[in-house]
Amino acid sequence: MAKRSDLVTKGWERSPHRSLFYAIGYTPSDLERPLIGIVNAANEVIPGHIHLDMIAESAKRGVIKGGGTPMEFPSIGICDGIAMGHIGMKYPLPSRELIADSIEAMAQAYQFDGLLMITNCDKIIPGMLMAAARLDIPAIIVSGGPMLAGEFQNQDVDLISVFEALGRLKKGEISEEELHELEMRACPGSGSCSGMFTANTMNCLSEVLGMALPGNGTIPAAFSGMRKRIASEAGEYLMELVRKSISARKILTQEAFENAIMIDLALGGSTNTVLHLPAIAHEAGIDLPLEIFNKFSNEIPNICKISPASRQHIQDLNRAGGIPAVMKEISKLNTLHLDALTVTGKSIKEIIENAKVLDRDVIRSVDNPYSSTGGLAILKGNLAPDGAVVKRSAVLPGMLKHTGPAVVFDSEEEAIEAIFNGKIKQGDVVVIRYEGPAGGPGMREMLGPTSAIAGMGLDDSVALLTDGRFSGGSRGAAIGHISPEAYAGGTIGILRDGDIIEIDIPNYSLNVKLSDEEINKRKESFQKPSPRFKHGYLARYSQMVLSASTGAVLKDKL
């Protein structure tokens, strides 16, 4: 059977190519076998990635056992938590495109027959999935697993606990000594941060999409033996995909994406999935409009509340049966596409056949959900004609509908300073603009402001709107991805202090109480600000990125 890699290994004209492989230490028999790219995002700057070399070694053993030749190369990765709150946060979302592009470059340069992609954190997972969909070759995602929760004052804590403690420190509720003790305990070891934040949401949805093995999203990193077994098995499964010519797009179908959205809503996952799922679908040639989230939100109940929506963590979800158990529960509604194929060669129906819910406090029944509607909602109105997104499952009931005066800021830093200095009052609607994909650029996450609002005890009375985005760890009435963004002349760009904002999450609406005439008048006098970056990657990204409503994908045509 002809292989992609034959282009670099077969025939007398490839003698120089083989010579270079031999210089690395590969043997003639190694080059006879399928060449498998091992994309390893291991580094020493992300706790979720510090242990990925161990995962890679197991994955390579699986590939060899399955009859392939593994060839490892690196991927960049940014820790959103460390990049948070400063200029560095402008880079994680744009890095998604760099990751996809660099994997494409390597896979095409070496004509790999398949890719085993080792990841764990925020933008690295969707970047790798985008590359798999774009290349359309056999591929499997393997994660390093979630971090265990920390323990502080007899309570489970995580990274978000530390962010929110900053507001409590400002209010005098905790001392600097207590804050220091908390920061030392909140993140106890390797793994992706322990709540249903973006990384863990995407690792869980990789299972649902069919691109990862069961347990990929929930088995803790600390369970190193189990994680290594998953990686080794993934290597063997990948070789089966190569032999059977099952490429990524045969798995990443319309039905697979619909399954992912349904389980995302059931889990109450990160709002960032509303960026990443459409972007991955775009690479697979599938249109995934925002409206589909609301369609399924009306059908799929929210049956899990994991941090930041509660004190439960991913380890609890794993103990309760993991993603197969969640899918098994949602399958009772007869909405899941159970025939969808997975990288194991089995259908979703076969994957969940023997799954059981082992803890009803963690995975509720569809007959007794936390909410009859899904955990995410897409809002539209004159303030967000193209849409905005909110993690409804993390909004207090009293804030699902809210009307209040806008307090407008043109950057995240200005807003955080005002919140900590007591300038935000009960009932206010904090507006942070010029943080969108192009205007930021890079669409910074707003975990700082949302944590500050929660830490100051205002999350039951203050909403936050932005054309930027939120961490999966954000909670409260935090509405992001407002499109069109301010930089593109969207309504958020013409708001003034005191404008009355009307938020109605149950009815999916977001409006400012201004007449069409007044909005048009203000837009006529709107002046687009100068780009914040004149050179470098962010300058190029700003010119090429599309609206958040598209998944913040790049223009296909220059």
Side-chain angles (χ1 to χ4, degrees):
M1 181 185 73
K3 310 187 301 295
R4 272 171 53 96
S5 58
D6 288 349
L7 283 174
V8 294
T9 61
K10 295 292 185 184
W12 62 265
E13 69 276 13
R14 295 296 182 248
S15 181
H17 305 62
R18 291 192 296 273
S19 182
L20 290 168
F21 280 123
Y22 298 151
I24 300 169
Y26 295 109
T27 67
S29 60
D30 289 334
L31 301 186
E32 289 292 325
R33 293 190 286 267
L35 304 186
I36 304 300
I38 307 293
V39 191
N40 187 359
N43 62 43
E44 296 182 352
V45 288
I46 308 179
H49 289 222
I50 191 67
H51 62 304
L52 294 189
D53 281 340
M54 172 189 73
I55 303 297
E57 290 305 311
S58 295
K60 285 187 275 190
R61 285 198 296 271
V63 167
I64 292 169
K65 187 176 179 181
T69 296
M71 295 181 171
E72 183 179 339
F73 65 92
S75 167
I76 65 167
I78 296 175
C79 177
D80 286 39
I82 295 173
M84 198 77 65
H86 57 88
I87 190 174
M89 195 62 229
K90 294 180 182 291
Y91 284 89
L93 183 59
S95 78
R96 185 186 72 178
E97 316 306 318
L98 288 174
I99 291 164
D101 290 351
S102 64
I103 294 172
E104 175 195 356
M106 291 293 286
Q108 297 291 51
Y110 291 92
Q111 288 295 291
F112 291 123
D113 298 296
L115 292 173
L116 195 151
M117 299 181 285
I118 302 168
T119 179
N120 214 22
C121 291
D122 290 16
K123 309 313 162 297
I124 301 95
I125 307 160
M128 289 184 175
L129 286 168
M130 288 166 67
R134 185 187 303 174
L135 290 160
D136 194 25
I137 62 176
I140 291 184
I141 289 283
V142 176
S143 84
M147 186 185 295
L148 293 173
E151 188 275 329
F152 176 68
Q153 295 180 349
N154 296 318
Q155 290 186 329
D156 284 348
V157 292
D158 53 39
L159 178 66
I160 308 309
S161 307
V162 186
F163 272 98
E164 293 186 357
L166 299 177
R168 296 176 61 205
L169 178 69
K170 288 282 185 179
K171 289 182 67 181
E173 293 181 355
I174 62 171
S175 66
E176 291 185 15
E177 290 75 18
E178 288 176 303
L179 176 61
H180 177 69
E181 184 182 356
L182 172 60
E183 73 181 63
M184 294 292 288
R185 291 174 170 268
C187 300
S190 62
S192 48
C193 294
S194 55
M196 190 57 74
F197 315 143
T198 304
N200 289 327
T201 303
M202 289 304 303
N203 278 327
C204 289
L205 296 188
S206 295
E207 288 187 45
V208 186
L209 285 168
M211 290 295 292
L213 271 58
N216 179 77
T218 61
I219 295 174
F223 296 3
S224 58
M226 298 178 75
R227 295 301 331 179
K228 287 191 283 188
R229 288 201 298 274
I230 285 179
S232 181
E233 290 170 0
E236 294 186 68
Y237 278 121
L238 179 58
M239 295 315 301
E240 280 297 302
L241 296 178
V242 171
R243 275 187 282 274
K244 295 177 180 178
S245 298
I246 299 176
S247 60
R249 291 193 191 183
K250 292 178 181 176
I251 295 171
L252 291 171
T253 62
Q254 178 76 36
E255 291 74 20
F257 284 103
E258 291 183 3
N259 283 345
I261 291 172
M262 285 185 263
I263 300 304
D264 190 12
L265 294 166
L267 292 170
S270 166
T271 54
N272 283 313
T273 58
V274 182
L275 288 173
H276 300 322
L277 289 176
I280 300 163
H282 175 76
E283 296 289 356
I286 294 170
D287 183 33
L288 208 64
L290 293 184
E291 288 73 19
I292 197 169
F293 285 86
N294 280 351
K295 172 184 179 294
F296 286 120
S297 185
N298 289 325
E299 301 174 6
I300 305 299
N302 176 213
I303 61 173
C304 297
K305 273 191 181 291
I306 310 296
S307 176
S310 76
R311 290 196 177 275
Q312 296 174 352
H313 291 83
I314 301 296
Q315 65 204 54
D316 300 307
L317 179 59
N318 184 67
R319 175 177 48 78
I323 297 306
V326 176
M327 289 194 286
K328 182 71 170 282
E329 186 63 30
I330 293 299
S331 72
K332 295 177 181 179
L333 301 173
N334 297 317
T335 53
L336 283 178
H337 303 289
L338 297 179
D339 292 333
L341 182 64
T342 75
V343 290
T344 64
K346 298 177 181 178
S347 67
I348 292 292
K349 181 179 180 180
E350 293 172 296
I351 292 289
I352 68 174
E353 187 174 9
N354 297 316
K356 294 180 181 178
V357 177
L358 303 176
D359 189 338
R360 283 296 181 188
D361 288 334
V362 180
I363 304 173
R364 286 196 175 184
S365 164
V366 292
D367 298 320
N368 180 37
Y370 286 104
S371 168
S372 60
T373 52
L376 298 174
I378 306 300
L379 312 183
K380 288 194 172 184
N382 65 5
L383 186 45
D386 294 339
V389 62
V390 62
K391 188 171 184 174
R392 172 165 44 190
S393 60
V395 179
L396 292 172
M399 289 297 291
L400 290 170
K401 291 187 177 184
H402 179 74
T403 299
V407 186
V408 183
F409 303 95
D410 287 344
S411 73
E412 176 188 10
E413 289 83 357
E414 295 172 10
I416 291 177
E417 181 181 2
I419 295 166
F420 280 147
N421 288 333
K423 295 180 180 178
I424 304 302
K425 308 301 181 186
Q426 290 186 357
D428 285 346
V429 178
V430 176
V431 176
I432 305 176
R433 61 191 180 192
Y434 296 110
E435 293 286 5
M443 208 177 181
R444 286 195 289 183
E445 287 186 346
M446 300 292 156
L447 181 57
T450 56
S451 297
I453 288 171
M456 296 290 283
L458 294 170
D459 56 319
D460 61 350
S461 63
V462 170
L464 194 156
L465 312 181
T466 182
D467 51 7
R469 59 194 178 91
F470 295 108
S471 163
S474 291
R475 63 184 176 94
I479 300 169
H481 306 198
I482 291 178
S483 302
E485 62 179 289
Y487 189 73
T491 308
I492 189 174
I494 54 96
L495 291 182
R496 298 172 183 168
D497 287 344
D499 287 342
I500 301 301
I501 309 297
E502 294 180 321
I503 299 166
D504 188 344
I505 295 172
N507 290 305
Y508 306 111
S509 70
L510 178 62
N511 291 284
V512 55
K513 291 187 70 174
L514 295 174
S515 66
D516 292 345
E517 181 182 16
E518 176 63 18
I519 290 174
N520 292 332
K521 180 181 177 182
R522 292 190 191 183
K523 285 186 175 182
E524 287 175 2
S525 60
F526 173 79
Q527 291 187 338
K528 183 177 179 178
S530 298
R532 284 174 166 160
F533 290 81
K534 305 295 196 300
H535 60 86
Y537 179 54
L538 289 183
R540 297 194 299 275
Y541 179 83
S542 179
Q543 295 176 44
M544 298 176 65
V545 68
L546 297 175
S547 166
S549 62
T550 70
V553 299
L554 300 185
K555 297 174 184 175
D556 287 329
K557 297 179 180 179
L558 298 180

